[in-house]
Amino acid sequence: TGAVCVSSNPTISTFSTNPVRVRKNISTPVTFSYAITNPPASCTISGPAGFAPLTINPVNGVPSTRVANVTLSQASTFTLTCGSVSVQNTIGLVPATQEL
């Protein structure tokens, strides 16, 4: 019998954003935090129209971060995709304060 190489699927153990809410239509730096086990060479963080997808190069099991400027007009979903596995995270809007 020969040795069998078992390729494990990636596992996304962490995917979060900070802040979780941004001001409407104002460019805000957002930190995407992630930790991936058995990652492929690169993964992608994608978002709504107008957000340029980020290519990340995760290290197996090592928590990492990537900062990108985000400008949203409505609550939007961001997706971390590694091979056939993906996880979503939503960034909301800070409620507008109204002058009386």
Side-chain angles (χ1 to χ4, degrees):
T1 55
V4 176
C5 284
V6 176
S7 173
S8 298
N9 283 330
T11 302
I12 301 170
S13 51
T14 305
F15 179 50
S16 61
T17 59
N18 184 31
V20 293
R21 295 193 299 186
V22 299
R23 294 190 183 279
K24 183 175 181 176
N25 296 329
I26 294 178
S27 179
T28 307
V30 172
T31 300
F32 296 92
S33 302
Y34 54 89
I36 301 155
T37 309
N38 299 317
S42 66
C43 299
T44 304
I45 298 173
S46 55
F51 178 80
L54 301 173
T55 299
I56 59 173
N57 304 101
V59 177
N60 187 15
V62 178
S64 304
T65 59
R66 179 76 181 268
V67 178
N69 286 323
V70 173
T71 305
L72 302 178
S73 59
Q74 60 189 15
S76 298
T77 300
F78 290 80
T79 305
L80 171 58
T81 304
C82 290
S84 60
V85 179
S86 65
V87 174
Q88 294 187 326
N89 202 314
T90 299
I91 297 179
L93 296 181
V94 174
T97 53
Q98 293 186 335
E99 301 283 335
L100 293 178

